[in-house]
Amino acid sequence: MKVQVLSGLPLESKRMNIKEIKSETLYKEYSLEIPYDEVDHLIDNKIKELIPTVTLPGFRKGKAPVNIVKKKYESNILSEVIEKIVQEKTKSLLDDKKLKPFRQPRVDLKKYEKQQPVQIEIKIDLEPEIKLKNFKDLKLNKYQIQLDKKTIEDNYNKFISSQQNFKKIENNRSVKISDKITINLLTKNESVPDFLKSQKNLPIITDSEYQILPELSKKIIQKKLKVGDKIVLNFDISTVINSSEAKEAEFDIEILLIEEAIPFKITNDYLEKNGFKSVDELKENLKKNITSQYQNGIKQIEKKQLMDVLESEHKFDLPKGILDEEFHSIWHRLEHAKKDNTLDKDDKNLTDKELKERYKKISERRVKLAILLQYIARNDNISVNEKELTEGMINYSSQYPGQEKQILEYFKKNPSSIESIRGPILEQKVIDNITSKSEFSKIKLSVKDYIKLEEKTFKINNKEK
């Protein structure tokens, strides 16, 4: 075995012991045992660099003995030394074994004791070999919705029934479904995003699908809270902070106002306030909105069909390490869902074995498509520039009126969270790049056709939607 030598180390340094502990499809694990004298030599070098700047009692600046400086500062520089030696040993291993990692190898420091060999484990996902199909040969469909009069009229009636006016309740009853409430919300939990830590005069529609905290309205109604009531409630904020593990946070909640819904009527005052000259103009705007909704649905159908084609047209091995990570992440969420009794209907009747089979297939699809899209992006030099990233953050924050500044500040303080914005933008740019080169068949859809196509495309058992 070739002797691994760091720059500046003595030639008589003992050789590093390398042992392969796992080898699977595009995945390797190695155990490395590094002689302690290599670590100690680097520590001595750092101490010598440090001595000219050190002033210790009884010694002039820069004149303290090496052994005394080392005793005082060794623990301070140890992490830097370990990090350096691990990086260089990892690079040396990759070079010697001629390995091409797909992502940054994961390194675990297993053992570090003075005068004992340093033990580390390195986990490496290897890059798959991918041969891209010519996108000009892909056969895709381009759909266009055609709305009938009944659909347009039904949508208008649904809009009228969904509109609500509210008035302050006359008696001090407890909150119920369909009420509009105003609350103060406060938490001292540091894991909660800044924009959520304190909210004053926050309006909430209790039957709205959007809740700033999971099941907030449901918990308030269950507690039969009234105006003036103050209560402490716990919430699982894992979905808020994009965590795969459950995360409990305690919030102080105060009920300030309860308003009840009253029947809605279109008046001239309503039209004027909302920028419409007539009911016909309102109806035309609603028609545009529902058309846009169907077009967004069609976009998802076309994306799903494209992903199906990409998956079927490309065959390559998948890194076992990444596959295991993806499956374990999904399975962890499923276990929490089972405990909370929130499993999807079509999952509830399956055994653990059947669930594992289903979600292993889903894991394989997700990993395969993620690797493929990443490869296409790299191959075609597709990336997300700063302008696109900024626009993405602004668009995201605009979904939370009144909280835009806090959310943008959160992104600024937590750079890693920006990846949740970058990812979808890059994916869409890759999709646009592929579709710009492909051939299309244009197909017009009625609402009934659309519904059938949607049901066919997103089957109940097809979880990768």
Side-chain angles (χ1 to χ4, degrees):
M1 181 182 294
K2 182 180 177 181
V3 177
Q4 307 297 315
V5 181
L6 285 178
S7 176
L9 284 176
L11 293 176
E12 64 270 17
S13 175
K14 298 176 184 177
R15 67 176 65 212
M16 176 176 68
N17 183 25
I18 302 175
K19 181 180 179 182
E20 184 177 273
I21 57 179
K22 187 176 286 189
S23 179
E24 299 185 41
T25 305
L26 295 176
Y27 179 72
K28 300 279 188 181
E29 281 188 24
Y30 292 92
S31 173
L32 275 62
E33 196 172 80
I34 305 165
Y36 181 79
D37 62 349
E38 294 192 17
V39 179
D40 198 44
H41 185 79
L42 282 180
I43 291 174
D44 286 345
N45 285 344
K46 289 297 294 183
I47 292 298
K48 289 175 183 177
E49 292 175 10
L50 191 64
I51 283 177
T53 66
V54 172
T55 301
L56 293 178
F59 301 96
R60 286 181 294 145
K61 183 177 180 180
K63 298 299 180 180
V66 171
N67 62 325
I68 295 178
V69 177
K70 184 175 181 178
K71 183 177 181 181
K72 181 174 178 61
Y73 290 102
E74 181 176 357
S75 60
N76 294 19
I77 64 174
L78 185 59
S79 61
E80 180 184 346
V81 168
I82 291 294
E83 182 179 353
K84 179 179 180 181
I85 202 167
V86 164
Q87 286 178 350
E88 295 202 23
K89 293 299 183 183
T90 301
K91 183 179 184 303
S92 179
L93 172 68
L94 295 174
D95 291 342
D96 281 359
K97 300 293 184 182
K98 294 181 172 57
L99 299 175
K100 191 175 181 182
F102 176 70
R103 60 178 179 176
Q104 187 70 25
R106 288 153 295 155
V107 181
D108 293 329
L109 179 63
K110 290 296 184 181
K111 180 182 176 182
Y112 174 79
E113 295 179 13
K114 280 196 171 184
Q115 307 306 323
Q116 296 294 319
V118 177
Q119 294 180 3
I120 64 174
E121 284 186 4
I122 302 177
K123 300 176 181 180
I124 308 167
D125 295 291
L126 303 177
E127 189 168 298
E129 291 185 13
I130 301 174
K131 293 183 179 179
L132 286 180
K133 294 288 183 180
N134 190 332
F135 297 143
K136 292 180 180 179
D137 297 333
L138 297 184
K139 307 297 182 183
L140 304 173
N141 293 326
K142 196 78 173 176
Y143 300 102
Q144 183 180 0
I145 192 70
Q146 292 184 313
L147 298 180
D148 56 84
K149 290 183 179 180
K150 184 177 184 304
T151 299
I152 295 171
E153 192 63 31
D154 287 347
N155 180 60
Y156 174 74
N157 293 332
K158 185 178 179 181
F159 167 78
I160 295 298
S161 62
S162 70
Q163 295 304 297
Q164 294 175 313
N165 286 332
F166 295 91
K167 71 172 183 177
K168 183 177 178 181
I169 60 173
E170 296 179 358
N171 58 327
N172 191 21
R173 62 165 174 78
S174 58
V175 179
K176 66 179 184 180
I177 198 74
S178 80
D179 281 345
K180 176 182 177 181
I181 60 175
T182 304
I183 68 170
N184 284 342
L185 180 148
L186 177 68
T187 183
K188 296 180 180 178
N189 191 305
E190 291 300 320
S191 62
V192 175
D194 289 343
F195 71 90
L196 253 183
K197 286 182 178 177
S198 177
Q199 290 283 340
K200 293 189 175 182
N201 299 308
L202 177 67
I204 295 172
I205 307 296
T206 55
D207 59 357
S208 170
E209 291 183 5
Y210 169 74
Q211 298 286 302
I212 195 169
L213 288 170
E215 298 189 332
L216 173 59
S217 292
K218 180 180 178 181
K219 291 187 177 187
I220 288 175
I221 292 171
Q222 286 177 341
K223 294 295 183 180
K224 299 181 178 180
L225 300 183
K226 299 180 178 180
V227 172
D229 286 347
K230 298 179 180 179
I231 193 171
V232 177
L233 294 175
N234 288 320
F235 297 89
D236 177 6
I237 61 168
S238 57
T239 56
V240 178
I241 61 175
N242 294 321
S243 171
S244 59
E245 298 181 1
K247 183 72 175 180
E248 290 284 323
E250 187 177 86
F251 285 82
D252 295 320
I253 295 172
E254 179 183 7
I255 308 298
L256 303 177
L257 177 67
I258 301 175
E259 298 173 273
E260 60 186 355
I262 58 175
F264 172 77
K265 293 182 180 180
I266 294 181
T267 62
N268 289 333
D269 184 54
Y270 172 84
L271 292 172
E272 185 177 337
K273 284 183 178 179
N274 288 277
F276 299 113
K277 296 178 180 179
S278 64
V279 173
D280 287 341
E281 189 174 339
L282 169 61
K283 287 183 176 181
E284 183 61 29
N285 185 71
L286 292 172
K287 180 182 176 181
K288 289 179 181 178
N289 288 341
I290 191 174
T291 301
S292 176
Q293 290 172 26
Y294 277 110
Q295 287 172 340
N296 287 335
I298 285 172
K299 188 176 180 180
Q300 294 305 311
I301 290 171
E302 291 172 347
K303 175 183 173 181
K304 173 63 166 56
Q305 291 180 347
L306 171 61
M307 294 301 162
D308 289 344
V309 171
L310 290 175
E311 183 186 22
S312 64
E313 291 290 330
H314 294 87
K315 308 294 182 185
F316 55 89
D317 290 330
L318 303 176
K320 183 67 164 50
I322 298 178
L323 273 177
D324 288 345
E325 275 185 25
E326 179 65 23
F327 174 74
H328 290 150
S329 175
I330 293 174
W331 192 252
H332 183 78
R333 292 196 295 270
L334 277 174
E335 287 181 326
H336 275 292
K338 283 194 284 186
K339 289 179 183 178
D340 299 338
N341 196 30
T342 56
L343 275 177
D344 289 346
K345 288 182 180 180
D346 54 327
D347 283 339
K348 286 184 177 179
N349 296 325
L350 299 181
T351 64
D352 276 0
K353 182 179 179 181
E354 290 170 330
L355 279 173
K356 285 181 178 179
E357 288 177 357
R358 166 182 287 182
Y359 284 98
K360 278 183 179 179
K361 289 180 181 178
I362 291 170
S363 299
E364 289 172 3
R365 175 183 170 91
R366 288 181 176 176
V367 170
K368 183 176 183 178
L369 289 173
I371 290 174
L372 185 57
L373 293 179
Q374 182 177 328
Y375 181 85
I376 294 169
R378 188 169 69 244
N379 189 67
D380 289 1
N381 295 316
I382 302 171
S383 61
V384 179
N385 59 43
E386 288 302 315
K387 180 183 178 183
E388 291 167 333
L389 200 55
T390 300
E391 289 175 350
M393 288 187 286
I394 292 173
N395 289 337
Y396 176 82
S397 63
S398 67
Q399 299 174 33
Y400 303 91
Q403 302 168 39
E404 294 92 341
K405 185 177 179 181
Q406 296 97 314
I407 293 175
L408 291 175
E409 190 66 26
Y410 177 76
F411 281 128
K412 185 177 180 180
K413 293 180 179 178
N414 301 272
S416 61
S417 64
I418 297 176
E419 291 308 308
S420 64
I421 303 296
R422 187 192 308 274
I425 297 175
L426 181 62
E427 179 183 89
Q428 189 57 52
K429 290 186 74 172
V430 173
I431 290 173
D432 292 342
N433 175 62
I434 296 170
T435 55
S436 69
K437 302 173 183 177
S438 305
E439 290 188 9
F440 289 96
S441 296
K442 294 184 178 180
I443 301 174
K444 294 183 178 180
L445 297 174
S446 67
V447 172
K448 287 184 179 180
D449 293 333
Y450 171 86
I451 293 171
K452 288 179 181 179
L453 179 62
E454 186 179 46
E455 290 174 349
K456 180 182 177 182
T457 305
F458 301 114
K459 298 174 183 177
I460 293 176
N461 290 334
N462 199 338
K463 309 303 290 184
E464 63 266 26
K465 176 178 176 180

